[in-house]
Amino acid sequence: MTTQNTATTRASLLPPKNGNLITVLNIDGGGIRGIIPGVILQYLESELQALDGPDARLADYFDVISGTSTGGLITVMLTAPGADNRPLYAAKDIVQFYKDNSPKIFPQIGGPFAGFIKLLKTLVGPKYNGKYLKTLVTDLLGSTKLSQTLTNVVIPTFDIKDMQPVIFSSFQVSREPSLDAQLSDICIGTSAAPTYLPAHYFQNGDREFNLIDGGIAANNPSLVAIGEVTRQVLKSDPNFPAITPLDYGRYLLISIGTGTQKQTPKFDAKKAAKWGVIGWLINQGSAPLIDAFTQASADLVVMHNNVVFEALNSVDSYIRIQDDALTGDLASTDLSTKENLDSLEKVGGVLLDNPLSRVNTDTGVVEPVPDGGTNREALKRLADRLSTERKLRESNCSDGGVLE
């Protein structure tokens, strides 16, 4: 790591002031459905490796990687330093990580009384005890802190005691040292989905944190990440070019969802009007209250990003890859059977070859982009731009290396 006291100077990537773009990668929350962005990210990293060699990693190309819940876990996997000060995981390892560990994080209950037992567990406490997840990330990450990630990260959580979002942002560490928490605590906190996993308490310095799933605040945290960059620009961070805060022409944003359930008339006002606490928390195999929170916030962010990038004629610099037609078990956040995990991997592969799509800002309907090709082709185009940007920064840097 460098010794310069700014969040944006990192070992993997020269700062944006040396190039033309500010590059952002975003990964939504979604439990076991993190397998879907895992497939997408593996393809993107493979394209970068084809251009720049087998050692290329996503952290080498993005100024910021943001993620919520399972997306926060992936963010840390891609940016936490390993023994060689390179990313702990390559993108190609993400899917297998989920296949190996999801059945232990979300152990399934079988037998004729499985439904009753699950309901009973939900009534008296979280569906899963979270012990395996806590041990897993603690063993993997040790005492590694937020300030040690190989590129800047933004991971939202929600403090249930203070009733306000807590954003673990590399950019804020120098201003708020209490946010320089261990990555293991951040991962556990952002993943603590109500009714599924227990809330997470820890203390860092003189500050206490009482955290639940970041999806309560921002299941799609791409807008939060851009907001963090905007704050740096406004504060005249020397690592960023002197641009107007909303110059979206300088951003390159890749936002990847974990899939959403196909919109069918599952519930309506007549049904919801009769629900009590149980009805809102568990109904037809889902948690309507939590689903509504996470889906609504994610959809609003997608709409906002589309409006802004369109208004500033920068649509080619923003892609959103999302499957909004998941059905049955595929829409679950915790059904960790081998069959379902394998099926989610296939969904990711199919999604790569689906047409590049964008929300129509007039109708709110997702439509194929004319002449946009497939998601695979769009990612290949953006990989070329990312590689070019990295090379430009290196050539513009006076000594060709990391700024000291």
Side-chain angles (χ1 to χ4, degrees):
M1 302 294 290
T2 70
T3 57
Q4 188 166 333
N5 188 29
T6 53
T8 52
T9 298
R10 285 295 196 261
S12 290
L13 182 62
L14 292 170
K17 71 173 186 179
N18 294 99
N20 290 328
L21 299 172
I22 299 170
T23 54
V24 182
L25 173 64
N26 174 75
I27 308 141
D28 287 10
I32 59 168
R33 300 199 309 269
I35 285 180
I36 296 174
V39 174
I40 306 300
L41 293 170
Q42 179 178 346
Y43 175 74
L44 176 59
E45 191 168 87
S46 71
E47 285 300 306
L48 292 168
Q49 289 168 346
L51 293 166
D52 296 332
D55 293 331
R57 296 291 183 269
L58 293 173
D60 300 332
Y61 297 87
F62 289 97
D63 297 306
V64 192
I65 301 180
S66 57
T68 295
S69 193
T70 200
L73 179 59
I74 293 174
T75 295
V76 169
M77 292 171 67
L78 296 173
T79 61
D84 56 355
N85 209 34
R86 295 293 290 150
L88 193 61
Y89 282 84
K92 66 179 177 61
D93 300 321
I94 293 173
V95 170
Q96 193 59 48
F97 176 90
Y98 274 80
K99 287 187 172 184
D100 291 342
N101 294 292
S102 293
K104 301 170 187 176
I105 298 171
F106 304 113
Q108 301 299 294
I109 299 173
F113 300 106
F116 174 76
I117 295 172
K118 290 177 183 178
L119 175 60
L120 185 61
K121 287 175 67 69
T122 302
L123 291 175
V124 300
K127 198 172 179 181
Y128 308 99
N129 60 33
K131 291 180 179 179
Y132 180 83
L133 176 62
K134 184 175 183 178
T135 299
L136 175 66
V137 298
T138 301
D139 288 348
L140 282 174
L141 298 168
S143 59
T144 305
K145 292 194 170 186
L146 176 62
S147 60
Q148 296 174 271
T149 56
L150 297 174
T151 191
N152 300 296
V153 303
V154 173
I155 300 175
T157 63
F158 189 87
D159 194 300
I160 194 65
K161 183 177 181 180
D162 295 336
M163 293 302 290
Q164 65 180 17
V166 177
I167 309 299
F168 288 95
S169 166
S170 302
F171 300 110
Q172 295 191 35
V173 166
S174 62
R175 297 188 291 271
E176 183 55 67
S178 65
L179 292 176
D180 193 18
Q182 292 187 1
L183 291 174
S184 56
D185 282 318
I186 296 172
C187 285
I188 298 167
T190 193
S191 301
T195 76
Y196 288 94
L197 290 165
H200 182 54
Y201 170 86
F202 68 93
Q203 186 169 352
N204 191 42
D206 59 357
R207 182 172 177 179
E208 294 183 338
F209 295 91
N210 298 268
L211 303 181
I212 61 173
D213 193 332
I216 296 296
N219 200 54
N220 172 351
S222 59
L223 195 56
V224 179
I226 291 175
E228 289 295 296
V229 172
T230 300
R231 189 203 304 256
Q232 295 306 110
V233 172
L234 289 172
K235 291 181 176 294
S236 300
D237 185 330
N239 288 298
F240 285 89
I243 62 174
T244 58
L246 293 180
D247 185 1
Y248 275 55
R250 300 293 291 272
Y251 287 88
L252 188 156
L253 170 60
I254 299 176
S255 181
I256 306 175
T258 57
T260 62
Q261 191 166 34
K262 185 176 181 180
Q263 296 304 306
T264 56
K266 187 174 183 180
F267 305 119
D268 57 32
K270 290 182 179 179
K271 293 179 181 179
K274 301 175 184 178
W275 293 345
V277 173
I278 296 176
W280 278 104
L281 292 181
I282 183 167
N283 204 308
Q284 297 185 38
S286 65
L289 182 62
I290 298 170
D291 291 346
F293 270 119
T294 56
Q295 189 62 46
S297 67
D299 285 350
L300 284 174
V301 170
V302 171
M303 181 66 75
H304 173 90
N305 284 338
N306 274 276
V307 168
V308 174
F309 276 93
E310 282 183 11
L312 298 173
N313 297 314
S314 302
V315 290
D316 291 338
S317 295
Y318 165 56
I319 66 169
R320 170 72 173 170
I321 299 179
Q322 172 74 307
D323 188 324
D324 58 1
L326 298 181
T327 59
D329 293 345
L330 291 173
S332 170
T333 59
D334 66 329
L335 184 60
S336 57
T337 62
K338 181 180 185 303
E339 294 75 17
N340 197 43
L341 297 176
D342 288 343
S343 295
L344 286 169
E345 183 178 11
K346 293 176 182 176
V347 168
V350 171
L351 185 56
L352 276 172
D353 292 314
N354 282 353
L356 177 67
S357 299
R358 187 173 295 125
V359 172
N360 183 316
T361 52
D362 292 325
T363 66
V365 176
V366 177
E367 300 172 347
V369 175
D371 301 319
T374 64
N375 289 320
R376 186 187 301 274
E377 291 166 340
L379 285 171
K380 184 177 177 66
R381 292 193 295 269
L382 291 182
D384 288 335
R385 293 182 64 185
L386 288 166
S387 176
T388 299
E389 172 69 12
R390 179 171 171 80
K391 292 181 176 70
L392 175 64
R393 295 187 190 186
E394 290 171 347
S395 67
N396 285 343
C397 186
S398 59
D399 61 0
V402 177
L403 296 176
E404 297 291 345

